[in-house]
Amino acid sequence: MNLRVLIWAAAACIGTSGSAAQTPSRDEASFRDLYRQLIEINTTRSVGSCTQAAEAMRTRLAAGGVPAEDVRIIAPPERPNDGALIAVLHGRDPRAKAILLLAHIDVVEARRADWERDPFKLVEENGWFYARGASDDKAMAAVFTDALIRYRLEGFKPRRDIKLALTCGEETPDVFNSVKWLLDTQPAVLDAEFALNEGAGGELDKNDKPVALQIQAGEKVYQDFSLDASDVGGHSSRPTKNNPIVRLSAGIAKLGAYNFPVALNAATRGYFEAQSKTAAPEVAADMRTVLDDPRDQPAVERLWAVNPSWNGMLRTTCVATEISGGHAPNALPQRAHANVNCRILPGVSIASVEAEIVEVLGDDQIAVAPAGDPGTQSPPPPLTPRILDPVRAVAAKIWPGVPLVPTMSTGATDGRFLNAHGVPTYGLSGMFHDAEGSRAHGLNERIRVLSLMNGRRFLYEVVKLYANQP
């Protein structure tokens, strides 16, 4: 697309989008083209480049009239392919703190041989978009970039600055993470009153009817632990009673059978209170039981069977994810190793979880130690009327009668770094999924076309309200 055509397409981006069920308007067609371009730039760690994607979005912003001095790409000198795009739409009141629109543009690896379609070509099929990053997280990255262009073209002058950050490394933070690096080296770049990020969408029932709009406040802490058992080994014809593989296997079996205690916080309590009003009667009864008495194990077990994510919201979880051991088929093992991945509730210390694992194993010959960087502890941000009221106002127009449900992420997003740094970060997209979800990180990642277009309209309008708050 040449620059003149790009400017013409961007200039159509005024007002809110129409329904995705209708013929796409010029405004929507421009967004689709931006989304496609972003999707089809490979941003995997192995062979991709976030910087290339950031450059493409900088060109889009420039064509939409965003001044060059208000857009920059930042990366460490030694990591030229890990560029993050930072842009700003300046507000009227220099005393008002900015709001931050955060989305990561790196994606999980995807092999063409494994997918039904080319993962790096956007395919629209039967009301779905398919591609790696179609949902996680290039949907929000495209929506936020498109919104900034539309605000600029229509002459919108918000009270406070609107910052846009398209970052790199969310999927591979142990290698490099833009948000962490920026907060460590130039924190003013991401400073804001609060941030909007991935982490929550909306729920559809089996008939594709919206039943809950989610807003995420807080997330669990990611922490790996190494479990190691060792011995002198020897000839396999002379077995001993201290076989590391057997010892470690017994310990892992104990840990697998153990459940950490249920503990509710404001977000999870609000989530289950809201869900209990719309769930099937028997499920709703179990939710109310757990809200009244978190120690009621039969009710917790039944909820776990219905939805494993609910168990993850209710308690800290630790699961064995990798195991290795031995060095020869005809020798007693000298060492056995397992990785245990824990997702820890906010406010629970890593040290206390380590101590609990040691206690459950009950074997002082199994060494337990945290692996990798310590998980980032971040307090859940408050769900105040200042945050919730604009969401409810816009949602009532798009999805009348659909309740707003607080939730807590059982995974990990870049919000953990911002929350810990003092920037309250909320997961909010307005993009609805069915029970199967978007297949993020898996094969044939997808998002409903209607969900993406409604999310685009929703975020465009919500951000406007936030940006004009006194």
Side-chain angles (χ1 to χ4, degrees):
M1 176 181 291
N2 63 40
L3 186 59
R4 178 174 296 177
V5 173
L6 184 60
I7 293 173
W8 175 86
C13 297
I14 300 175
T16 59
S17 67
S19 168
Q22 301 171 351
T23 301
S25 62
R26 291 179 180 176
D27 151 89
E28 183 182 309
S30 178
F31 166 70
R32 283 169 171 255
D33 191 58
L34 183 156
Y35 177 60
R36 178 182 299 277
Q37 181 183 25
L38 185 58
I39 288 287
E40 296 185 353
I41 297 173
N42 188 318
T43 53
T44 58
R45 172 62 60 197
S46 61
V47 299
S49 171
C50 287
T51 301
Q52 183 184 350
E55 290 283 7
M57 295 303 99
R58 175 158 65 180
T59 299
R60 293 274 179 171
L61 290 165
V66 179
E69 61 268 23
D70 292 337
V71 185
R72 53 183 169 149
I73 295 173
I74 310 175
E78 70 276 13
R79 306 198 69 88
N81 287 331
D82 292 338
L85 179 143
I86 307 296
V88 62
L89 180 67
H90 291 291
R92 306 185 307 272
D93 185 353
R95 298 167 300 176
K97 291 196 74 172
I99 62 170
L100 175 64
L101 310 181
L102 176 68
H104 67 87
I105 51 177
D106 63 304
V107 297
V108 170
E109 303 289 339
R111 294 178 53 207
R112 176 65 186 92
D114 298 334
W115 282 54
E116 293 178 24
R117 310 159 190 85
D118 187 336
F120 297 104
K121 294 292 183 183
L122 184 66
V123 174
E124 183 176 354
E125 188 177 292
N126 298 324
W128 295 85
F129 284 128
Y130 292 89
R132 174 58 86 221
S135 177
D136 184 15
D137 186 29
K138 289 182 176 179
M140 288 190 70
V143 164
F144 284 153
T145 305
D146 169 75
L148 212 65
I149 293 170
R150 296 164 73 191
Y151 298 148
R152 176 73 187 186
L153 287 170
E154 69 185 29
F156 174 53
K157 293 287 187 181
R159 176 174 178 258
R160 64 190 67 248
D161 288 358
I162 301 174
K163 289 183 179 179
L164 170 66
L166 305 182
T167 59
C168 192
E170 195 271 351
E171 302 292 6
T172 52
D174 289 342
V175 178
F176 172 77
N177 181 277
S178 286
V179 174
K180 186 177 186 301
W181 176 72
L182 286 168
L183 291 172
D184 288 342
T185 61
Q186 38 199 315
V189 168
L190 299 179
D191 189 35
E193 181 175 335
F194 64 90
L196 300 183
N197 183 34
E198 64 173 338
E203 297 181 20
L204 300 170
D205 66 13
K206 61 183 180 180
N207 298 313
D208 293 341
K209 177 184 176 182
V211 292
L213 172 65
Q214 297 177 342
I215 181 168
Q216 179 224 326
E219 54 191 72
K220 298 176 86 173
V221 177
Y222 179 110
Q223 183 63 55
D224 287 315
F225 290 92
S226 291
L227 276 57
D228 291 280
S230 60
D231 190 41
V232 296
H235 201 285
S236 60
S237 66
R238 294 166 51 88
T240 70
K241 293 187 176 181
N242 188 31
N243 185 311
I245 291 177
V246 174
R247 183 177 292 278
L248 186 61
S249 298
I252 291 174
K254 291 179 184 178
L255 188 60
Y258 177 73
N259 291 322
F260 286 77
V262 170
L264 295 162
N265 57 37
T268 53
R269 182 170 288 279
Y271 175 86
F272 284 105
E273 285 174 348
Q275 291 284 15
S276 69
K277 298 174 183 176
T278 59
E282 64 277 8
V283 176
D286 282 336
M287 289 179 175
R288 289 191 292 269
T289 296
V290 173
L291 286 168
D292 291 338
D293 181 9
R295 296 167 298 179
D296 190 304
Q297 290 305 310
V300 172
E301 291 288 332
R302 288 191 293 269
L303 292 178
W304 187 354
V306 173
N307 187 337
S309 292
W310 291 346
N311 178 63
M313 293 179 68
L314 287 169
R315 53 161 57 106
T316 290
T317 59
C318 291
V319 297
T321 55
E322 293 179 318
I323 188 165
S324 61
H327 60 283
N330 59 351
L332 298 176
Q334 297 168 358
R335 180 176 176 272
H337 166 82
N339 186 83
V340 169
N341 177 244
C342 295
R343 305 300 178 116
I344 303 171
L345 288 174
V348 177
S349 72
I350 294 170
S352 69
V353 173
E354 180 181 350
E356 201 158 349
I357 292 173
V358 169
E359 183 177 353
V360 171
L361 296 177
D363 187 340
D364 59 9
Q365 294 191 55
I366 300 177
V368 180
D373 293 334
T376 302
Q377 298 276 0
S378 57
L383 287 169
T384 63
R386 184 174 178 81
I387 296 297
L388 296 176
D389 287 351
V391 176
R392 290 192 174 108
V394 176
K397 294 189 295 182
I398 303 175
W399 307 286
V402 174
L404 177 61
V405 177
T407 187
M408 178 190 69
S409 174
T410 57
T413 76
D414 283 335
R416 67 192 187 276
F417 301 118
L418 285 166
N419 278 316
H421 196 77
V423 180
T425 303
Y426 302 90
L428 185 70
S429 74
M431 299 177 193
F432 283 70
H433 295 280
D434 59 16
E436 187 177 346
S438 67
R439 303 174 182 166
H441 294 203
L443 296 176
N444 307 309
E445 184 178 344
R446 63 184 190 168
I447 188 171
R448 279 178 170 78
V449 176
L450 180 60
S451 292
L452 179 61
M453 298 308 163
N454 279 342
R456 176 183 179 238
R457 174 188 172 190
F458 170 75
L459 288 171
Y460 169 85
E461 295 187 17
V462 165
V463 170
K464 265 193 162 183
L465 294 180
Y466 281 142
N468 269 337
Q469 282 181 329

